[in-house]
Amino acid sequence: MRKSVHITNVQKNTSLKNKKLGSNLLKASKKSSDSENYVEWTIKFALKLPSMWHSADYSTTQNIQFLIFPDGIYYNKSSDRPHE
């Protein structure tokens, strides 16, 4: 009798673990899909930046600049290059 109770408990635990695993796989695939969509959106946005920059007013170009370079752009006059 004890053996059958143990087997039943193992089956229930295995079933619960499988449900949790399935749930986690679903969540992971959704996150993966969201990540892929985000990457695709970011690439499309980046490709539009040059035309957005050229057609934008001063305020918008500043916003684009702060988006791409949140710490600002530093220029070294003696080397004629930006600081990194």
Side-chain angles (χ1 to χ4, degrees):
M1 179 92 169
R2 270 196 124 132
K3 199 173 192 179
S4 66
V5 170
H6 177 69
I7 290 173
T8 303
N9 286 338
V10 169
Q11 288 173 335
K12 285 180 182 178
N13 287 338
T14 303
S15 178
L16 284 172
K17 287 179 183 177
N18 285 340
K19 285 180 183 178
K20 286 181 182 178
L21 181 61
S23 175
N24 288 340
L25 284 173
L26 260 165
K27 288 177 186 175
S29 68
K30 181 167 176 20
K31 286 180 183 177
S32 174
S33 176
D34 289 347
S35 296
E36 289 171 9
N37 289 337
Y38 183 72
V39 168
E40 186 176 323
W41 178 88
T42 304
I43 290 170
K44 287 179 182 177
F45 180 78
L47 291 172
K48 294 177 185 176
L49 280 173
S51 63
M52 288 170 48
W53 179 270
H54 289 293
S55 64
D57 61 3
Y58 178 74
S59 176
T60 304
T61 56
Q62 275 191 320
N63 288 335
I64 293 170
Q65 181 177 326
F66 293 138
L67 175 69
I68 297 172
F69 304 104
D71 295 331
I73 301 173
Y74 300 96
Y75 178 73
N76 184 340
K77 189 174 181 178
S78 63
S79 69
D80 194 29
R81 303 187 89 180
H83 286 279
E84 294 185 21

